[in-house]
Amino acid sequence: LVKKRITMTFDCEWKGNVGTLTEKFVYSDGEQQTHVWEMTLDGEKLTGRASDVIGVANGKVIGNSVHLTYSLEVPYEGKSYAFDFSDWSQRIDDRVVINRVEMKKWGVKF
């Protein structure tokens, strides 16, 4: 069930095997967010850090897809909650990426 639609734009710059990925989110209710990742690519293995990621995001590049798993602090009504994410991104072309994210808390999907 879709709760909100998100339009995202990405800007990524690589220096060797280290990249900075800036994600800009515009939600269907008008909310906007910016999220900055520092990513490291080692072969097919991808690791990432961001200010609201707990520890390190771990992932793998599989063809034109990337799968990341991580825990993220999510603000909600003045508080912050940790959720576990499974995040799949599939590049369709140079302008389009399809992203599917699964959020869980205590093993329950949200």
Side-chain angles (χ1 to χ4, degrees):
L1 179 65
V2 174
K3 298 289 183 182
K4 283 188 187 181
R5 293 195 181 274
I6 305 169
T7 300
M8 299 172 18
T9 57
F10 298 93
D11 183 29
C12 190
E13 183 177 317
W14 287 91
K15 292 183 181 176
N17 67 332
V18 177
T20 301
L21 172 64
T22 303
E23 303 172 315
K24 293 183 180 180
F25 302 87
V26 179
Y27 295 87
S28 55
D29 64 1
E31 179 185 357
Q32 296 184 23
Q33 294 178 337
T34 299
H35 193 90
V36 179
W37 288 88
E38 182 177 294
M39 309 297 273
T40 303
L41 184 61
D42 182 11
E44 293 180 345
K45 182 182 176 187
L46 187 65
T47 55
R49 294 185 183 276
S51 63
D52 51 357
V53 171
I54 301 165
V56 177
N58 292 293
K60 187 171 185 177
V61 176
I62 306 163
N64 64 335
S65 299
V66 173
H67 181 230
L68 283 174
T69 56
Y70 52 94
S71 293
L72 185 73
E73 287 288 335
V74 177
Y76 181 73
E77 295 184 350
K79 296 182 181 179
S80 185
Y81 300 91
F83 284 86
D84 296 322
F85 281 69
S86 176
D87 190 333
W88 280 95
S89 296
Q90 182 179 20
R91 185 172 63 96
I92 302 303
D93 58 34
D94 290 341
R95 295 183 40 87
V96 177
V97 172
I98 294 176
N99 183 251
R100 180 175 177 163
V101 177
E102 182 178 272
M103 291 175 56
K104 289 184 178 181
K105 179 78 173 170
W106 304 300
V108 177
K109 291 182 188 179
F110 285 84

